[in-house]
């Protein structure tokens, strides 16, 4: 397989090594073209996302807050079309419908610069739901490409940050 990076031959490798090489180049924010015999595989650049941190607290009114912070990596010369975080209770996956007030999607349109972080906050969590585990997934999409990058956060709840429920 021949590997082209930015239009120039970078390597000639077996097919398995070629895919590994391409994935390594993607981590470096570079578009890669792989040619295997007569087949051409174009690997588009993608946004890199890191589930940077989570935090939780109880507000003065007694309701809980969960914050999910995401670090964004944008390939050079590219722009983000949209990004955000989806937060949902773990119990939904156990067949429970739960209270819709405990679900939120924070979606923002427009560009975010490489190396920036953004937060998604789930607020007004009733004290009776402070033990409810929440999943969060951050997502982002580059302009002019179809792929959406998704990164999960570990499930957490307000009690994990307040010392309750131990």
């Amino acid at each position: 397989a021949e590997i082209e990076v930015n239009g120039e031959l970078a390597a000639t490798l077996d097919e398995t090594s070629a895919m590994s090489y391409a994935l390594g180049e993607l981590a470096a924010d570079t578009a890669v073209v792989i040619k295997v015999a007569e087949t051409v595989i174009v690997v588009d650049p993608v946004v890199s996302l890191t589930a940077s941190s989570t935090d939780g607290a109880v507000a003065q009114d007694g309701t809980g807050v969960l914050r999910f912070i995401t670090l964004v990596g944008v390939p050079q010369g590219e722009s983000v079309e949209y990004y955000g975080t989806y937060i949902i209770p773990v119990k939904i996956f156990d067949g429970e419908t739960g209270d819709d007030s405990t679900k939120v999607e924070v979606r923002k349109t427009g560009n975010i610069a490489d190396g920036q972080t953004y937060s998604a906050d789930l607020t007004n969590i009733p004290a009776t739901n402070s033990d409810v585990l929440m999943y969060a997934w951050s997502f982002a999409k580059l302009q002019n490409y179809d792929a959406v990058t998704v990164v999960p956060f570990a499930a957490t709840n307000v009690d994990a940050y307040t010392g309750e429920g131990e």
Side-chain angles (χ1 to χ4, degrees):
E2 294 179 347
I3 307 292
E4 288 183 10
V5 178
N6 296 328
E8 296 187 18
L9 182 65
T12 302
L13 305 167
D14 62 80
E15 291 177 31
T16 302
S17 297
M19 291 306 290
S20 295
Y21 183 95
L23 292 174
E25 286 297 319
L26 279 178
D29 301 332
T30 307
V32 177
V33 174
I34 303 170
K35 293 180 181 178
V36 180
E38 297 301 315
T39 303
V40 176
I41 303 167
V42 177
V43 183
D44 291 331
V46 294
V47 177
S48 67
L49 299 175
T50 303
S52 185
S53 65
T54 57
D55 196 10
V58 175
Q60 285 184 330
D61 66 0
T63 62
V65 178
L66 285 174
R67 173 171 281 181
F68 300 89
I69 299 175
T70 305
L71 173 65
V72 179
V74 180
Q76 187 174 5
E78 301 295 342
S79 295
V80 172
E81 182 176 336
Y82 62 81
Y83 60 98
T85 301
Y86 187 67
I87 307 167
I88 189 168
V90 171
K91 63 185 177 184
I92 295 293
F93 297 100
D94 295 330
E96 296 181 41
T97 55
D99 177 2
D100 281 348
S101 69
T102 60
K103 294 184 275 189
V104 68
E105 178 183 8
V106 175
R107 182 177 170 132
K108 303 176 181 189
T109 56
N111 199 17
I112 183 170
D114 181 51
Q116 283 190 317
T117 59
Y118 72 90
S119 66
D121 296 344
L122 178 59
T123 60
N124 299 316
I125 301 169
T128 55
N129 286 348
S130 66
D131 63 338
V132 174
L133 285 172
M134 303 297 288
Y135 277 135
W137 295 269
S138 286
F139 56 88
K141 180 187 173 303
L142 290 177
Q143 287 182 349
N144 304 316
Y145 298 99
D146 294 328
V148 175
T149 301
V150 178
V151 64
F153 285 83
T156 192
N157 60 28
V158 174
D159 287 351
Y161 301 96
T162 63
E164 298 294 322
E166 293 180 3

